[in-house]
Amino acid sequence: MFEQFKKSMKIEFDMTDFGSIKYFFGVEVLQKANGIFITQRKYAQEILERFNMAQCNSVHNPMVPGFKLMKDEGGVEDDSIVYKKIVGSLMYLTATRPDLMFIVSLISRYIERPTDSYFQAIKRTLRYIKGMTGFGIFYKKEGSEELVGYSDSDYTGDQNDRKSTS
């Protein structure tokens, strides 16, 4: 049935069969017998090189435990163009790195007027990426269809960090 579908698609559209997918928009796809693993290892390394962090020391978590990033009214404003470029790159990386979602959403709140403290948080995140470039998402072929999620239930962020929706 698959071969018949491919033939009909080739007749209808100008297309070529290159076999199994390996890369798609910067996402590396590794197909195995027990599932599919997607990662952005190469893109993560390119981010580190682009922002001069390729030679940095790695860390084991994206932010210092207990650290709270808050509005820095008195801080000296830093280069917002570079900050926006880093945040945008990190946002694309979250497609295969859900472990970065919280810190990227946090640092993106301060994109309008970044200060040195926000750049320190971004550098910490890049150092985390340095040590974890091979992380990704593995979709099992078989197994439980139950979705399991984890959260940090003891988060006590500032009330100003929370926004209500109606």
Side-chain angles (χ1 to χ4, degrees), residues 93-103 135-137:
L93 190 59
T94 62
T96 60
R97 296 288 303 272
D99 59 317
L100 296 173
M101 195 61 74
F102 177 76
I103 187 63
F135 275 22
I137 300 175

Side-chain angles (χ1 to χ4, degrees), residues 68 106 109-110 152-165:
K68 292 184 176 119
L106 187 63
R109 292 178 189 176
Y110 307 103
D152 184 1
S153 61
D154 66 347
Y155 175 70
T156 57
D158 185 25
Q159 288 291 347
N160 295 330
D161 286 350
R162 300 185 187 129
K163 303 220 187 291
S164 64
T165 57

Side-chain angles (χ1 to χ4, degrees), residues 20-122:
S20 296
I21 188 170
K22 302 260 190 282
Y23 283 95
F24 184 73
F25 289 118
V27 177
E28 181 180 357
V29 181
L30 303 168
Q31 298 182 33
K32 300 179 179 199
N34 59 342
I36 297 174
F37 179 70
I38 59 172
T39 183
Q40 290 173 290
R41 178 188 345 253
K42 185 178 176 194
Y43 182 69
Q45 291 168 340
E46 288 172 4
I47 290 171
L48 294 170
E49 289 173 19
R50 186 178 328 138
F51 300 111
N52 300 318
M53 295 291 285
Q55 302 304 317
C56 69
N57 295 324
S58 64
V59 294
H60 296 290
N61 46 20
M63 57 189 287
V64 177
F67 176 74
K68 292 184 176 119
L69 195 60
M70 293 183 261
K71 204 166 198 171
D72 188 8
E73 297 284 340
V76 178
E77 193 170 340
D78 218 325
D79 189 351
S80 67
I81 301 297
V82 172
Y83 191 86
K84 289 174 185 176
K85 287 179 181 180
I86 297 172
V87 170
S89 298
L90 293 175
M91 282 182 171
Y92 187 68
L93 190 59
T94 62
T96 60
R97 296 288 303 272
D99 59 317
L100 296 173
M101 195 61 74
F102 177 76
I103 187 63
V104 172
S105 69
L106 187 63
I107 60 177
S108 67
R109 292 178 189 176
Y110 307 103
I111 203 163
E112 183 179 320
R113 189 183 173 277
T115 62
D116 188 51
S117 62
Y118 306 141
F119 267 95
Q120 291 304 316
I122 278 189

